[in-house]
Amino acid sequence: MSQIIQNLAEVSQNYRALFVDLWGCVHNGITAYPDAVKALQSYRKSGGIVVLVTNSPKPRAGVMDQLGQFGVPEDAYDTIATSGDSARAAMFTGAVGQKVYFMGEWQRDWGFFEPLNVIDNPIEITRVPLAEAEGIVCCGPFDTQADPSVNRADFLLAKTNGLKLLCANPDIVVDRGHTREWCAGALAKLYTEMGGESLYFGKPYPPIYDLARRRLAEVDKSIQDDEILAIGDGPHTDISGAMGEGIDSLFITGGLAAQETKTNDQPDPEALKTYLDQEKSAPTFSIGFLR
């Protein structure tokens, strides 16, 4: 059974670094959670290192700008690893070809196509209509409220043409304030179910953890996996990823699973146990909200 704790400080002294999810843990897609910010600031003041590990399709600089808009101060974290950066590296090395069909909101996601200087001899990427594409780059739905099934006709053509889909954000859904939205992961899941091939780079898949460790090493090279605590509200992303990497985890029950775990301030122990058993998830610790 996952141990329910009252606050991060109860266990944080056992870890030298945190891998912290953003959406649902540090902010709600609109504004920061003050208690979460204070907890991270306090942890850093005690000597700990905070790596924000997010399934955002944005590059690191874009996430930093967004955090500022949400009210998350820079002294709450040390560095950032994004699914977007991990996926961009794959795109610029030819994972889905040079001519790509883009899915997402261009005004929001254009940064995904900005040059990535860490790649030697990156290929030139051109956005084209689906019928001319060699692959798909999916940063999210065109309409976050529309059911993913609206893409079936396009996905059938893509599968017939043998296109791979690069998923820049494996999340299925997020809650923006009180509104639930579909993410790129829902489209990639549908494409896979239809027989297409989807490539993933965010949580729970290894590439983003490799990136997070590299970002951590830029701050302190000596930290080992058993000295890291992963924090997040997604059982199939944050917790599953941590389990796969052999990293302890703290499950934020008041995020995506607030209803299932009957979380008001803290989760109901029996509801939490039922939910974790159902999801086959085994976080080391659980808490209602990061504080």
Side-chain angles (χ1 to χ4, degrees):
M1 176 65 181
S2 180
Q3 178 186 343
I4 298 176
I5 63 174
Q6 297 299 314
N7 53 66
L8 177 63
E10 242 182 89
V11 297
S12 61
Q13 70 274 9
N14 299 321
Y15 302 95
R16 296 175 61 199
L18 306 178
F19 283 178
V20 184
D21 180 43
L22 281 175
W23 209 312
C25 298
V26 180
H27 67 70
N28 66 355
I30 298 174
T31 188
Y33 296 132
D35 287 346
V37 169
K38 290 177 183 177
L40 298 182
Q41 290 171 322
S42 177
Y43 178 74
R44 291 190 69 238
K45 287 179 181 177
S46 72
I49 298 171
V50 174
V51 182
L52 302 179
V53 184
T54 172
N55 274 355
S56 170
K58 292 179 177 292
R60 174 166 51 173
V63 170
M64 287 185 66
D65 289 343
Q66 188 178 61
L67 289 175
Q69 295 168 18
F70 292 163
V72 179
E74 292 186 13
D75 67 351
Y77 59 92
D78 291 273
T79 187
I80 304 172
T82 80
S83 176
D85 278 341
S86 189
R88 288 169 72 215
M91 180 181 72
F92 281 114
T93 53
V96 291
Q98 292 184 269
K99 298 178 180 180
V100 302
Y101 176 64
F102 169 71
M103 301 184 72
E105 182 183 328
W106 184 249
Q107 186 175 359
R108 177 195 66 201
D109 298 322
W110 63 267
F112 191 86
F113 291 86
E114 284 289 284
L116 193 60
N117 297 328
V118 297
I119 299 296
D120 292 330
N121 301 315
I123 67 170
E124 183 177 344
I125 300 296
T126 304
R127 292 188 297 129
V128 299
L130 179 59
E132 301 172 19
E134 299 170 346
I136 300 173
V137 170
C138 181
C139 288
F142 296 116
D143 180 354
T144 59
Q145 294 300 306
D147 190 277
S149 62
V150 301
N151 297 283
R152 280 188 173 276
D154 283 347
F155 282 172
L156 179 60
L157 173 61
K159 184 191 75 168
T160 301
N161 290 345
L163 273 56
K164 295 178 182 179
L165 183 150
L166 186 153
C167 177
N169 174 4
D171 287 349
I172 302 296
V173 294
V174 293
D175 291 327
R176 187 184 300 275
H178 299 293
T179 303
R180 183 150 292 191
E181 298 180 350
W182 293 105
C183 296
L187 305 186
K189 180 175 182 288
L190 173 63
Y191 191 56
T192 300
E193 290 171 348
M194 292 178 62
E197 182 177 356
S198 298
L199 308 178
Y200 296 93
F201 297 89
K203 297 172 291 185
Y205 301 96
I208 195 169
Y209 293 97
D210 294 340
L211 176 60
R213 289 186 182 95
R214 291 199 298 273
R215 295 277 160 83
L216 174 59
E218 292 170 358
V219 183
D220 188 331
K221 296 180 179 179
S222 69
I223 297 176
Q224 305 300 309
D225 282 356
D226 62 0
E227 299 175 299
I228 300 171
L229 178 68
I231 301 175
D233 70 327
H236 299 299
T237 51
D238 306 297
I239 307 306
S240 178
M243 291 170 62
E245 297 293 323
I247 297 172
D248 286 355
S249 60
L250 170 59
F251 179 40
I252 307 300
T253 66
L256 292 172
Q259 182 176 346
E260 292 84 349
T261 59
K262 298 181 180 179
T263 297
N264 185 5
D265 178 63
Q266 285 282 70
D268 175 82
E270 288 302 314
L272 174 62
K273 182 180 186 306
T274 298
Y275 177 75
L276 293 178
D277 288 346
Q278 174 187 316
E279 301 300 320
K280 297 180 174 59
S281 185
T284 315
F285 309 105
S286 294
I287 191 172
F289 301 92
L290 181 58
R291 55 188 168 225

